[in-house]
Amino acid sequence: MSRITPGAQKSLQNCWQKKEAVERCDLALAKRMIDACVSFNVVNSVYYQHAIDAVTTMGPGYKGQNLHAIRGYYLAKTIDEVKIYMESY
């Protein structure tokens, strides 16, 4: 009788696959920053991990907004949030 229940330990192959998936994800983020000439300091932003978490909750197939939506609607929405924040002081 086995003392270890099936699935109690991750297989070595499963661990390697997860490490490879994390590596692919990290590389994709790095390439995106390099391609867009984004300062590497962006990873120190309080919004960096928040943005990654928000995208992962959307799941596969999520398509990011286009340039016009970001520089138009979402920029205006962010400005409004900052104005409300400033008025609170």
Side-chain angles (χ1 to χ4, degrees), residues 9 12-13 30 39 86:
Q9 291 183 325
L12 188 57
Q13 182 180 7
S39 170
M86 289 174 56

Side-chain angles (χ1 to χ4, degrees), residues 22-56:
V22 169
E23 175 91 8
R24 282 192 306 274
C25 183
D26 291 345
L27 184 58
L29 286 169
K31 284 181 178 180
R32 188 259 176 260
M33 290 174 61
I34 293 164
D35 179 62
C37 299
V38 174
S39 170
F40 296 123
N41 289 326
V42 75
V43 300
N44 295 326
S45 168
V46 297
Y47 301 107
Y48 180 72
Q49 187 61 48
H50 176 72
I52 291 172
D53 293 341
V55 170
T56 58

Side-chain angles (χ1 to χ4, degrees), residues 7 9-22:
Q9 291 183 325
K10 294 181 180 179
S11 69
L12 188 57
Q13 182 180 7
N14 189 3
C15 290
W16 280 111
Q17 287 173 343
K18 181 172 173 148
K19 286 181 181 182
E20 289 172 358
V22 169

